[in-house]
Amino acid sequence: MTDASRTALAHLRDSGSFQWYVIPLLLIVLYVYAAEVERRNWNVFFAGLAFWGMDWFNEIWNALVFHFTDRAPVWGAPGGGSAYLILIGLNIEICFMFAVFGVVAAKLLPADKDARVLGIPNRWALAGGGAAAAVVVEVVLNSMDALTWEWSWWRAGMPLLIWLVGYLPFFLVSYWVHDLPKVRDKALAVGALLGLDLAALIVFISLGWI
């Protein structure tokens, strides 16, 4: 087990790390979504939740990697400066960030689904560009040891996998939900994703795997 993993485990779901700034952060996230509900902007509302749900999906399998290798997760959040470490690679601040990130990403979508950016369909272009920007941020965070990478195939020198697995699916699923024609379809898609995440969390936490 790596030193960073041991540090993270020491902080994992430790309520003693709680800080009061979590409450206003939660209210900001709720306000962001409430504003979309008020506008009845269901495209952005559900796209944001889909993006958030995809992050939970990634964080769960990342925690399972740590459990089964007993060495390190693919990415880790050591936890020392966080108000609450939910999973070994996910703290409460990251969780709130991804909840808002999806809304921001959806708001940047052109209304015309057929418009192109540099000859590329805009959904694919924005997903690729957004994922690349996110990877750059992760590289900076890793350089400050705010995020840890312990595997040779997941590092700053090999960003393609981080881009392809770590972020691109977030944008593509979020945009797909955004463009579904019916609100009911959006709600079903997001409900299925979040339901899968919740079931996995309940099962794997109860087993002591994550």
Side-chain angles (χ1 to χ4, degrees), residues 66-150:
F66 172 62
H67 172 75
F68 286 108
T69 64
D70 198 31
R71 178 180 180 270
V74 180
W75 60 89
S82 172
Y84 193 72
L85 187 63
I86 306 170
L87 298 173
I88 198 162
L90 177 68
N91 59 40
I92 191 69
E93 297 86 356
I94 295 173
C95 180
F96 288 161
M97 181 274 292
F98 276 111
V100 176
F101 195 174
V103 172
V104 174
K107 281 183 169 294
L108 293 176
L109 285 175
D112 182 3
K113 292 187 291 186
D114 297 322
R116 291 179 172 264
V117 177
L118 300 176
I120 303 171
N122 69 77
R123 268 43 175 175
W124 282 94
L126 290 174
V135 170
V136 171
V137 173
E138 285 232 350
V139 170
V140 173
L141 291 172
N142 174 251
S143 71
M144 299 186 296
D145 292 328
L147 285 176
T148 57
W149 297 335
E150 306 281 359

Side-chain angles (χ1 to χ4, degrees), residues 192-204:
L193 175 57
L194 293 179
L196 175 64
D197 291 338
L198 180 59
L201 284 169
I202 292 171
V203 170
F204 295 139

Side-chain angles (χ1 to χ4, degrees), residues 5-14 17 78 85:
S5 296
R6 289 191 184 91
T7 300
L9 279 180
H11 294 281
L12 187 62
R13 292 190 285 277
D14 176 15
S17 302
L85 187 63

Side-chain angles (χ1 to χ4, degrees), residues 32-33 35-37 39-52 99-109 123 174-175 177-180 183 186 190:
V32 167
Y33 281 89
E36 301 309 318
V37 171
R39 300 185 186 103
R40 301 183 68 80
N41 192 356
W42 303 117
N43 291 344
V44 171
F45 177 83
F46 284 111
L49 290 177
F51 196 101
W52 188 56
V100 176
F101 195 174
V103 172
V104 174
K107 281 183 169 294
L108 293 176
L109 285 175
R123 268 43 175 175
S174 175
Y175 294 168
V177 168
H178 178 282
D179 292 339
L180 286 173
V183 174
K186 301 176 196 295
V190 170

Side-chain angles (χ1 to χ4, degrees), residues 24-39:
L25 285 182
L26 173 61
L27 289 175
I28 290 170
V29 173
L30 292 175
Y31 176 81
V32 167
Y33 281 89
E36 301 309 318
V37 171
E38 182 183 27
R39 300 185 186 103

